[in-house]
């Protein structure tokens, strides 16, 4: 006796007619589409492309059933992740340095370190 597999056809819309974007149920996506997390794990980023498709599923959280979505991006159009340059890291370090005493404890709302702010107020 052949085993029957149950397929969720509610979210099967590869043409995008029903949902406006190609839609697939979980574990039924084409191999060239990845989620943001999957792209990040491979060292990639979407690179400005719009979502190419989506995955829909029903949440199992107690209460009324909710439909959840996750967008998919084409791995063939993805670009490598950007790495911060040395200049960027140095700029971030200097942005938190007090201009008066060169201390590294700079709250953003004061603009200078607390010690210099007290001296200026006195």
């Amino acid at each position: 006796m052949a085993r029957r597999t149950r397929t969720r056809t509610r979210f099967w819309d590869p043409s995008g007619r029903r949902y406006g974007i190609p839609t697939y149920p979980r574990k039924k996506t084409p191999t060239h589409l990845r989620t943001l997390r999957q792209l990040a794990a491979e060292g990639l980023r979407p690179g400005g492309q719009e979502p190419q498709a989506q995955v829909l599923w029903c949440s199992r959280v107690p209460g009324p059933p909710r439909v959840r979505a996750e967008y998919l991006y084409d791995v063939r159009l993805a670009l490598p992740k950007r790495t911060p340059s040395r200049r960027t890291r140095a700029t971030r370090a200097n942005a938190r340095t007090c201009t008066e005493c060169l201390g590294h404890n700079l709250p953003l709302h004061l603009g200078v370190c607390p010690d210099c702010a007290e001296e200026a107020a006195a």
Side-chain angles (χ1 to χ4, degrees):
M1 180 177 225
R3 183 176 174 212
R4 297 173 69 185
T5 59
R6 197 173 123 194
T7 308
R8 300 279 309 197
T9 57
R10 176 179 173 192
F11 300 129
W12 183 258
D13 181 26
S15 65
R17 276 189 228 136
R18 189 180 329 156
Y19 296 105
I21 185 172
T23 304
Y24 301 96
R26 293 177 87 176
K27 299 182 181 180
K28 300 288 184 189
T29 60
T31 57
H32 68 281
L33 297 176
R34 307 272 196 286
T35 64
L36 282 176
R37 286 184 182 212
Q38 290 170 333
L39 286 176
E42 295 176 19
L44 300 171
R45 61 186 170 95
Q49 66 175 307
E50 295 293 320
Q52 304 295 317
Q54 66 183 351
V55 174
L56 294 179
W57 72 95
C58 288
S59 173
R60 293 186 181 208
V61 176
R66 294 185 306 179
V67 175
R68 305 282 312 265
E70 189 158 25
Y71 296 111
L72 301 171
Y73 301 89
D74 195 336
V75 73
R76 299 170 294 192
L77 302 175
L79 300 175
K81 273 187 172 181
R82 296 181 187 148
T83 56
S85 65
R86 293 177 115 182
R87 175 177 272 169
T88 304
R89 282 180 266 169
T91 304
R92 285 186 190 149
N94 290 337
R96 295 186 182 199
T97 303
C98 178
T99 56
E100 302 295 323
C101 68
L102 302 178
H104 290 284
N105 190 9
L106 180 64
L108 296 176
H109 70 282
L110 292 176
V112 293
C113 67
D115 298 331
C116 293
E118 285 180 17
E119 290 176 13

